[in-house]
Amino acid sequence: MFNKILIANRGEIACRVAATARRLGVKTVAVYSDADARARHVAACDEAVHIGGSAPKESYLQWERIIAAAQATGAQAIHPGYGFLSENEDFADACAKAGLVFIGPPSSAIEAMGLKAESKRLMEKAGVPLVPGYHGTDQDPALLQREADRIGYPALIKASAGGGGKGMRVVEKSEDFAAALASCQREARNSFGSDAVLIEKYVQRPRHIEIQVFGDAHGNCVYLFERDCSVQRRHQKVLEEAPAPGMTPELRQRMGEAAVAAAKAVNYVGAGTVEFIVEQPEGYDHPEAMRFYFMEMNTRLQVEHPVTEAITGLDLVEWQLRVAGGEPLPLQQHELRMTGHAIEARICAENPDNQFLPATGTLRVYRKPAHAAFARGAVRFDDGVREGDAISPFYDSMIAKLIVHGDTREQALARLDAALAETRIVGLATNVQFLRHVVGSESFAKARLDTALIPRESAVLFQQDRVGTPTAVAAAVAQTLLGERALEGADPFSRRDGFRSHGLTTRRFDFDVAGATLQAMLTYGRDGALTLALGDVQGPLLIEPLDDGRFDLQFAGRRDTVQTWVTGETVHVFTARGATSLVEIDLLAHAGEGEGEGGRLTAPMPGKVVSFAVKAGDAVKKGQALAVMEAMKMEHTIAAPADGTVAELLYAPGDQVAEGAELLTLAAAN
Ligand code: ADP
Ligand code: ADP
Ligand code: MG
C-alpha cells in the first residue's frame, strides 16, 4: 500500500477519496485553485498545494503542475477522481514517466475506450452486443444521412469524443437530419475539439443499465453487478439505483459477462463502468424481453459508485488503491454478494422549473439529513462543501450525493424521501424538492423506468408547491411574530404571555407568492389568541415554538412542523411536505417604484459569451436567438423578449461576463 497519494480533483470526490485513504493510513495531498483556497477538500487532506487560477484549464487540468506537486510532496501515486484528468491517457502516461502510479487503468485502455466510435469497433470484435448504427471513420454528411435513413428514425447523433450528456441530438425524421448534424458537430468541436460523430438507432423505452467492473494487474476481472441510471435530464443521471428493477439473475449474468469481456478486450485494470442501453420492446411489465447493447465504457470511478458500495458492503476506493499498488482483487466473482436496495440522488445547484438551468450562489443554509434518525448505514451523504461555501460558475453544479439503503426498494424509497425532506438548502436554487417529486411519482414508485420518465411525469414534477400558500403565508407571519417575541423576551420589563398586540388589534402583511401579491390580516384576540385571514381562508393561527428554532404551526386545517430562514425579504419555509419561499413586501420601501426594464438583455449567470447571432441594426422577432453564452459546461441561448431592433452589442465573443451583465440592447418595435 502507498504511504502518500495526491488527489487531483476537488469537491465531494476528493473528500471521498481522502476519507478512505485516511482509514487505510495513507497520507493525502490536495491540490486547489484560487476559488478553492478555503474548500473542504483542502482541509480534508494532510497537505495541500495551490496549482493556479479558478478556471479548470488554469488548475485542475494543469497536469505538469499536478505532477510537480506530487513530486514536491513525495506522493507515490495520483488519484484523478472523475471528470478533469481522469480519462486523459496523456496524463496517465506522464504520471508513469514521472515515476508516479496513476490510480486508474493503463493509458492504452483509456485511449481504446476514449472515443465512442473506436470503442464500438473494438467491442464488435470482442462479441459485445452493439446498438444498430454507424460508427465508421467516413464523416461525409451525405453518407451520414444515408446511414441514418438506413438505421431508421428516431436516430441519435453522438459526438464520438462526447461525455457528460453533451454532443447528442435525437433526430425524429430524415428532413431534420442535416440541421441536427451541423449543430451536433458545432457543439462537439467547441466542447471536445473533434467533430467526429456516430449514429445510433434511438432504442425504444430506453433504460440505462451499467455494470461496475474491476480488474487487477494479475489478469483477474470481476463485475460488481449493475446500476440502473435511467432517470435522466439532458442525458445526465439524476437518480441511480441497484439492483435494477426487473433484472433477472440470468440477464445480470449475461450483462456482467459482456462487461467483463469488454474490459478484458482492453486489458483493463482498476475500476470501470460498462454502460449499456437496454431496450424494453414489450413495455415495462416484460423485463424478460429486455435487450441490452453496449454504449460506452467509462474508464474511471463513477459518480454513482456509492450505490454499488451500499449493496456490496465494499469500499471501491480501497479496491482502487490496492489494485494500483499491485495487489490482486480482494474478492473473486463467486465471493461477491449483494444485499438490499440502494438509491442515489444527485443534489445539484440548478432550477428544475427553468430547464434545469445551473445556479450559482452561496450556501447560506446547508442542513443535511440527521443520519442518526435512520437505521445504521441506511443514509449516506457525500459532499465537498460546508455552510457558507459558494457554488461558483467554474465547476460542476453537483452539491452533494444522497445515498440510501434499505432491505427492499420500497424501504429505500421511503428513506430517500425522508432524507430529502431533511435536506435544507437556502441561498441558491436546488433540485431537492424536484427529486422528492420524482421519487414520489407513479412511474418511479412502480419502477416503470426509462429515460423519458421525467418528461412523462412532468405534470407532477414541475412548478409544484406542496406546502401550499395558506401554510406558507401563516409560516411567514409566525416567523415574524416569533422574531418580535424573541426581541421582547430579551427585555426584562416586557410581558412574556404569548404574542402581544403592540396596541393594534389587526395587522396587515403583504407577500409576493410566485408573482402574485397577497394580503394577510392578523387579528390579536384575548390571551394571545390569533386569527389569520387570507382571502377566503380564515381561521385560528396556532404557533408552538420548539426548542431548536422550529415551530409547530396550525392553520387552515393543517398542522406542520416548520423551519424558516430569511434572506433579505425572502422567507424560506420548510416543512415535511416540502419547501417554498415567499417575499414579504415592505409597503413603505417599495412605494413609487416603476415597472418594466425596457429592452435590456442580461446574462442569466456568470459565464462566457460564445457568439452573437445578430448585429446592430438587425430587426428581430420575439423568441429569436440573439446570443449564446457558456456557463457551467452548458450553452445558454439568450432570446429576444419581444420584437425589436438590435441597438448595440455590448460584448464580444470570448468575453467573460458577470451575472446580470447587459449583453446587448434592443429598441422596441413601434
Ligand atoms: P457519470 O456517469 O459518472 O456521471 P458523466 O459522464 O456524467 O459520468 O461525468 C462524470 C463527471 O465528469 C461529472 O462530474 C461530469 O460533469 C464530469 N465530466 C464529464 N465529461 C466532462 C468533460 N468533458 N469535461 C469536464 N467534466 C466532465
Ligand atoms: P455520455 O458520454 O454523455 O455519457 P452516452 O453514450 O453514455 O454518453 O449516452 C448518454 C445517455 O444518452 C444515455 O444514458 C441514454 O440515456 C441516452 N442514450 C445514449 N444512446 C442511446 C440510444 N442509442 N438510444 C436511446 N438513448 C440513448
Ligand atoms: Mg455515458
Side-chain angles (χ1 to χ4, degrees):
M1 184 54 68
F2 308 110
N3 298 320
K4 192 191 266 191
I5 61 168
L6 180 141
I7 303 169
N9 214 299
R10 62 179 305 282
E12 68 88 17
I13 193 63
C15 296
R16 153 84 197 83
V17 172
T20 290
R22 170 149 304 167
R23 187 171 61 71
L24 298 176
V26 177
K27 293 256 183 291
T28 50
V29 181
V31 290
Y32 64 95
S33 66
D34 289 345
D36 280 340
R38 277 182 292 276
R40 218 185 96 191
H41 79 272
V42 173
C45 292
D46 298 301
E47 289 171 70
V49 180
H50 176 248
I51 49 165
S54 300
K57 266 194 195 121
E58 295 167 15
S59 48
Y60 298 106
L61 295 174
Q62 282 283 340
W63 44 270
E64 284 97 345
R65 286 187 212 163
I66 291 171
I67 287 175
Q71 288 172 325
T73 53
Q76 298 149 309
I78 298 188
H79 194 302
Y82 53 71
F84 296 131
L85 296 168
S86 61
E87 293 177 282
N88 184 321
E89 63 266 23
D90 297 332
F91 177 63
D93 276 336
C95 287
K97 281 207 193 78
L100 297 161
V101 176
F102 175 76
I103 303 174
S107 64
S108 55
I110 302 179
E111 192 179 355
M113 291 296 187
L115 294 174
K116 293 186 206 288
E118 277 162 34
S119 71
K120 285 183 78 175
R121 293 200 284 274
L122 257 174
M123 291 303 106
E124 199 163 32
K125 281 197 206 120
V128 179
L130 298 184
V131 194
Y134 171 80
H135 46 264
T137 45
D138 190 343
Q139 296 284 307
D140 173 31
L143 171 91
L144 295 173
Q145 170 92 57
R146 279 198 304 281
E147 287 294 334
D149 292 346
R150 177 184 61 80
I151 295 157
Y153 296 91
L156 188 62
I157 311 175
K158 273 189 197 178
S160 186
K166 257 190 154 186
M168 264 189 278
R169 295 290 183 280
V170 182
V171 188
E172 299 292 342
K173 50 186 194 301
S174 185
E175 301 86 276
D176 299 345
F177 183 85
L181 175 66
S183 125
C184 183
Q185 286 173 325
R186 188 168 351 102
E187 182 173 292
R189 228 173 2 250
N190 289 340
S191 305
F192 312 109
S194 151
D195 61 8
V197 300
L198 61 131
I199 299 165
E200 286 180 1
K201 174 187 166 200
Y202 193 81
V203 312
Q204 274 179 285
R205 289 185 204 87
R207 259 172 90 174
H208 174 123
I209 301 181
E210 59 187 32
I211 303 283
Q212 174 73 53
V213 295
F214 234 107
D216 66 19
H218 308 275
N220 303 304
C221 189
V222 299
Y223 61 90
L224 291 97
F225 317 115
E226 78 278 7
R227 293 182 290 256
D228 190 313
C229 314
S230 300
V231 182
Q232 303 182 346
R233 54 113 179 74
R234 291 198 318 248
H235 302 298
Q236 282 180 324
K237 299 156 186 170
V238 174
L239 292 169
E240 300 108 338
E241 62 182 302
M247 179 62 94
T248 60
E250 183 267 336
L251 181 60
R252 174 174 296 123
Q253 186 179 344
R254 277 201 292 136
M255 290 182 72
E257 285 170 0
V260 166
K264 284 196 164 159
V266 296
N267 299 313
Y268 203 78
V269 177
T273 296
V274 181
E275 296 189 333
F276 294 101
I277 192 88
V278 175
E279 191 163 27
Q280 306 179 98
E282 308 284 320
Y284 309 108
D285 298 325
H286 293 277
E288 75 287 350
M290 294 197 300
R291 283 198 289 263
F292 68 92
Y293 307 102
F294 173 85
M295 210 163 28
E296 64 163 345
M297 180 169 187
N298 292 326
T299 54
R300 54 170 158 88
L301 191 68
Q302 204 105 343
V303 172
E304 58 275 21
H305 75 276
V307 167
T308 300
E309 296 185 324
I311 58 156
T312 59
L314 302 170
D315 179 336
L316 296 193
V317 174
E318 175 178 349
W319 278 41
Q320 285 190 298
L321 297 182
R322 292 196 182 286
V323 163
E327 293 180 35
L329 289 178
L331 295 172
Q332 297 175 22
Q333 192 67 53
H334 69 271
E335 297 172 296
L336 291 164
R337 297 273 175 280
M338 41 178 217
T339 43
H341 198 97
I343 312 179
E344 173 180 281
R346 297 192 188 194
I347 297 174
C348 297
E350 65 185 19
N351 188 345
D353 289 339
N354 187 7
Q355 278 127 51
F356 300 96
L357 196 69
T360 57
T362 301
L363 296 164
R364 304 278 289 270
V365 174
Y366 181 62
R367 302 289 156 88
K368 312 178 199 187
H371 300 227
F374 297 90
R376 202 157 159 264
V379 173
R380 167 173 168 184
F381 201 85
D382 278 19
D383 62 357
V385 289
R386 294 166 292 216
E387 196 164 84
D389 283 355
I391 302 297
S392 76
F394 300 110
Y395 313 112
D396 202 86
S397 61
M398 194 171 77
I399 303 169
K401 309 187 299 202
L402 170 59
I403 307 100
V404 297
H405 187 241
D407 296 337
T408 61
R409 187 172 191 268
E410 290 66 38
Q411 192 181 52
L413 243 80
R415 285 180 171 157
L416 181 55
D417 184 62
L420 285 168
E422 289 189 10
T423 304
R424 297 182 168 182
I425 300 174
V426 173
L428 72 190
T430 75
N431 64 344
V432 173
Q433 298 307 313
F434 171 79
L435 288 168
R436 286 191 75 191
H437 303 156
V438 177
V439 171
S441 70
E442 190 174 340
S443 292
F444 193 71
K446 293 195 171 153
R448 295 170 164 269
L449 302 177
D450 66 297
T451 59
L453 187 146
I454 288 177
R456 183 170 65 246
E457 291 279 8
S458 61
V460 295
L461 302 184
F462 299 105
Q463 309 287 350
Q464 296 292 303
D465 179 1
R466 307 278 160 102
V467 176
T469 301
T471 300
V473 166
V477 169
Q479 77 84 29
T480 301
L481 299 179
L482 288 166
E484 289 168 358
R485 196 173 70 157
L487 286 177
E488 286 164 10
D491 170 6
F493 299 105
S494 74
R495 289 165 52 204
R496 289 195 183 82
D497 55 353
F499 300 101
R500 303 198 318 158
S501 70
H502 298 276
L504 298 170
T505 52
T506 59
R507 197 169 155 190
R508 178 176 156 184
F509 292 83
D510 287 73
F511 295 101
D512 183 323
V513 183
T517 305
L518 296 181
Q519 213 182 78
M521 297 301 281
L522 179 74
T523 310
Y524 293 83
R526 291 208 169 98
D527 310 321
L530 301 170
T531 309
L532 188 66
L534 178 73
D536 311 339
V537 188
Q538 177 167 352
L541 174 67
L542 297 177
I543 307 165
E544 194 61 53
L546 304 172
D547 47 11
D548 48 5
R550 296 178 306 151
F551 53 91
D552 274 340
L553 179 78
Q554 271 189 55
F555 180 62
R558 303 219 63 145
R559 194 207 130 267
D560 290 280
T561 297
V562 178
Q563 195 167 19
T564 57
W565 283 278
V566 180
T567 55
E569 295 175 327
T570 305
V571 185
H572 305 268
V573 178
F574 290 83
T575 74
R577 281 190 276 152
T580 190
S581 63
L582 63 174
V583 175
E584 187 163 0
I585 302 169
D586 180 341
L587 292 167
L588 295 175
H590 289 272
E593 224 170 60
E595 287 265 311
E597 281 185 62
R600 305 175 64 160
L601 287 144
T602 54
M605 60 176 57
K608 195 173 82 180
V609 178
V610 175
S611 61
F612 283 101
V614 291
K615 55 185 188 320
D618 282 0
V620 297
K621 289 262 168 254
K622 180 177 177 178
Q624 182 178 339
L626 304 177
V628 177
M629 273 190 64
E630 185 184 292
M632 300 189 93
K633 301 195 306 220
M634 269 184 65
E635 283 186 5
H636 309 277
T637 302
I638 317 289
D643 294 357
T645 307
V646 177
E648 194 184 354
L649 305 184
L650 301 171
Y651 287 92
D655 285 352
Q656 206 67 41
V657 295
E659 180 175 347
E662 202 175 339
L663 301 178
L664 67 163
T665 50
L666 271 192
N670 36 32

